[in-house]
Amino acid sequence: MNALPDFRLHRPATLDEAVRLKAQIEHPACVAGGSDILVNLRRGLAKPGDLIDLSGLRDLDAIERIGDELWIGALTTLARLTRDGAVAAAYPALAEAAATVAGPTHRAAATLGGNLCQDTRCVYYNQSEWWRDGNAYCLKHCGEKCHVVAKSDRCYATYHGDLAPVLMALGASAIVARAGGLRRLPVENLFREDGAHYLTLAPDEILAAIALPPLNGRAAYVKGRVRESVDFPLTGIAAALKREGDVIAALRVAITGMNSAPLMVDVSKLIGKPWNDETATLLSNALRSRATALATTLAGPKYRRRAMQGLARRLMDQVWAHG
């Protein structure tokens, strides 16, 4: 680990002040729980001249009903998500997904906003400085090419967040603070498929909250990982199903751990059909078409694709049985 780089630390008292700071400073970084960015700072992967500490914005850690939606502040810790009664009652898949992230001490510090906005990962990027120097820097950090896809003009580092696919499957919206007020967008639109520039937030924008619509049906999340605790997902799938009798009335599926962004999967061919071996094959084909597993993790791409398809069948069996 490297020593922390020098930086100016800002502690805004209000969200408006934080937005103004972010707009005025060139290439700042925001920190809340710090479980992602502080590790990168120690590894020399981030060297912001200015760090904006959002942890004092206590109005961003509320969980409250607004109309028929549940709004969850971006500073809500993952530990709180796992035990909050309103979340567990209305969106148990979100509470269960939060409980799979890292370990208990990480979840006590890590926040909803930080988990969504976490950095992408790659075996060529998440290394020590001496390793990166000795093996040539990559496109994401100080280098000129992506070592995963050498002729590419973009970075293929992978997004490994657990909460994003669940929120996407649930049809959640991101509430983004900027100069002049708030804007909202579907959670999937927070991301772009570029490992080095994976967030669509503008320089003067900060993720403030997530708004969840009522769940009409059942949702669940499953992840594949080497260890049953601590590890990021090698692949993860979330599904929200509305069942009417013996047919699929509505279905939303999202994946993580495969591409440079969490992605929605087109499952329109399954609507109006029963869940059986035929529709399981349709889902498997849709997942294979959407996912682009590459050599960004220690687990091989072929294994991750097969694991994704197997886990998806198990997940759908579960939500169908209880839908």
Side-chain angles (χ1 to χ4, degrees), residues 194-213:
D194 184 331
H197 307 286
Y198 53 96
L199 292 177
T200 61
L201 293 175
D204 66 338
E205 292 184 328
I206 292 174
L207 179 62
I210 295 296
L212 285 152

Side-chain angles (χ1 to χ4, degrees), residues 32-36 55 58 61 74-83 98-112 114-115 163:
S35 58
D36 184 53
S55 62
R58 302 323 308 170
D61 68 355
L75 291 185
T76 303
T77 66
L78 304 193
R80 184 179 175 193
L81 284 180
T82 67
R83 63 176 184 264
T100 71
V101 177
T105 54
H106 299 94
R107 294 192 292 270
T111 63
L112 170 62
N115 186 268
L163 301 189

Side-chain angles (χ1 to χ4, degrees), residues 15 18-19 22 30 54 175-178 201 204-208:
L15 181 57
V19 168
K22 193 167 184 283
C30 292
L54 304 178
I175 309 301
V176 175
R178 58 179 176 173
L201 293 175
D204 66 338
E205 292 184 328
I206 292 174
L207 179 62

Side-chain angles (χ1 to χ4, degrees), residues 27-242:
H27 306 304
C30 292
V31 60
S35 58
D36 184 53
I37 191 171
L38 290 181
V39 175
N40 281 354
L41 286 171
R42 291 297 300 271
R43 281 182 167 172
L45 293 172
K47 297 180 180 179
D50 295 83
L51 200 60
I52 302 174
D53 181 3
L54 304 178
S55 62
L57 308 183
R58 302 323 308 170
D59 54 335
L60 293 191
D61 68 355
I63 299 177
E64 58 184 335
R65 284 281 173 190
I66 300 181
D68 63 352
E69 295 181 318
L70 185 68
W71 281 44
I72 305 176
L75 291 185
T76 303
T77 66
L78 304 193
R80 184 179 175 193
L81 284 180
T82 67
R83 63 176 184 264
D84 183 87
V87 174
Y91 311 98
L94 180 58
E96 291 163 6
T100 71
V101 177
T105 54
H106 299 94
R107 294 192 292 270
T111 63
L112 170 62
N115 186 268
L116 288 173
C117 298
Q118 66 180 270
D119 200 4
T120 53
R121 304 181 63 80
C122 178
V123 290
Y124 294 97
Y125 173 70
N126 297 97
Q127 302 285 352
S128 64
E129 180 64 17
W130 66 265
W131 189 97
R132 292 191 302 271
D133 184 28
N135 290 274
Y137 293 101
C138 70
L139 185 63
K140 185 172 170 67
H141 180 74
C142 298
E144 298 180 351
K145 70 175 184 178
C146 174
H147 296 307
V148 175
V149 183
K151 294 184 179 180
S152 174
D153 60 355
R154 82 160 176 90
C155 167
Y156 280 84
T158 310
Y159 182 86
H160 289 276
D162 289 290
L163 301 189
V166 179
L167 294 170
M168 289 159 59
L170 292 171
S173 297
I175 309 301
V176 175
R178 58 179 176 173
L182 302 173
R183 72 178 178 104
R184 65 185 292 162
L185 67 160
V187 167
E188 53 265 36
N189 290 351
L190 273 177
F191 308 97
R192 65 167 64 93
E193 253 216 287
D194 184 331
H197 307 286
Y198 53 96
L199 292 177
T200 61
L201 293 175
D204 66 338
E205 292 184 328
I206 292 174
L207 179 62
I210 295 296
L212 285 152
L215 173 61
N216 186 9
R218 183 174 176 83
Y221 173 68
V222 64
K223 66 191 285 188
R225 50 186 168 174
V226 176
R227 296 170 291 185
E228 281 302 306
S229 64
V230 181
D231 284 350
F232 290 93
L234 296 173
T235 183
I237 309 99
L241 167 74
K242 179 183 178 183

Side-chain angles (χ1 to χ4, degrees), residues 275-292:
W275 176 248
N276 53 30
D277 289 343
E278 179 184 346
T279 43
T281 299
L282 291 176
L283 176 58
S284 182
N285 291 339
L287 288 167
R288 188 171 61 246
S289 297
R290 190 60 163 145
T292 306

